[in-house]
Amino acid sequence: APLQAIVKEALDLVAGRISRRGVKVQVTGEPVVLFGDRTRFVEIFMNLVDNAVKFMGDQPAPRVEIGVEQAGEDLALYVRDNGIGIDPEVQPLVFGLFHKLDPRSEGEGIGLALVKRIVELHGGRIWVESEGLGQGACFRFTLPAAVNCAGSSVRCPPEPAG
């Protein structure tokens, strides 16, 4: 399915929270297609966007950007926000099952652990980058077994040999 269709489905599922918080969501127009378990791909974006919206803090112009970019040899998809950011010291912990950095936040803390599992099932990896508190965060992930970006301006990962 085209990336935009998957993202739209995910955004529809968290539309209430997005509009309540007044978050502006920007989605790339790159012609990237994901092959595989569409429901799982929707879950990835739903959880990452939901997470971004949840941790906007008091950002007056909350924004989430969804796109694709080159990450070394791989094509990485990303969900970037301008929210509260993540202290570099705790970044490695954010994907831990039930690891909640803020016990007052809503949810059970399984969203990011689930996302990591889906990404890994598709032969990918996921990581987070944030300059620190107040600097927003960017979750990047690869899905080498599922991505086709023919016709887009980003370089497709090479086909696995064999």
Side-chain angles (χ1 to χ4, degrees):
L3 175 64
Q4 291 77 9
I6 287 166
V7 168
K8 182 188 181 319
E9 203 173 312
L11 294 176
D12 286 348
L13 292 168
V14 286
R17 179 170 285 159
I18 291 171
S19 67
R20 273 197 304 280
R21 185 59 187 84
V23 178
K24 208 173 161 163
V25 181
Q26 187 184 345
V27 183
T28 180
E30 288 285 357
V32 172
V33 177
L34 297 181
F35 293 97
D37 190 337
R38 181 184 178 126
T39 310
R40 293 281 175 255
F41 299 148
V42 168
E43 277 178 35
I44 292 175
F45 286 103
M46 185 188 88
N47 278 293
L48 291 179
V49 170
D50 196 38
N51 198 59
V53 173
K54 224 185 282 184
F55 295 105
M56 273 302 169
D58 45 20
Q59 168 60 252
R63 204 177 67 251
V64 172
E65 187 192 333
I66 297 169
V68 287
E69 64 197 3
Q70 212 59 49
E73 278 297 290
D74 289 319
L75 177 79
L77 299 127
Y78 64 83
V79 175
R80 183 184 287 127
D81 67 62
N82 61 350
I84 62 173
I86 302 167
D87 183 336
E89 279 182 25
V90 296
Q91 287 174 19
L93 305 173
V94 298
F95 299 104
L97 194 57
F98 302 113
H99 186 95
K100 293 182 66 167
L101 300 178
D102 179 359
R104 294 163 315 207
S105 67
E106 48 190 305
E108 303 81 39
I110 60 172
L112 293 177
L114 176 70
V115 166
K116 181 174 194 277
R117 183 158 163 64
I118 296 170
V119 167
E120 288 173 351
L121 283 171
H122 287 86
R125 60 196 180 91
I126 183 166
W127 65 101
V128 63
E129 291 166 15
S130 175
E131 300 293 312
L133 294 175
Q135 302 290 309
C138 183
F139 283 85
R140 289 187 173 83
F141 58 97
T142 62
L143 294 169
V147 171
N148 180 328
C149 52
S152 74
S153 66
V154 281
R155 196 164 52 90
C156 268
E159 289 293 316

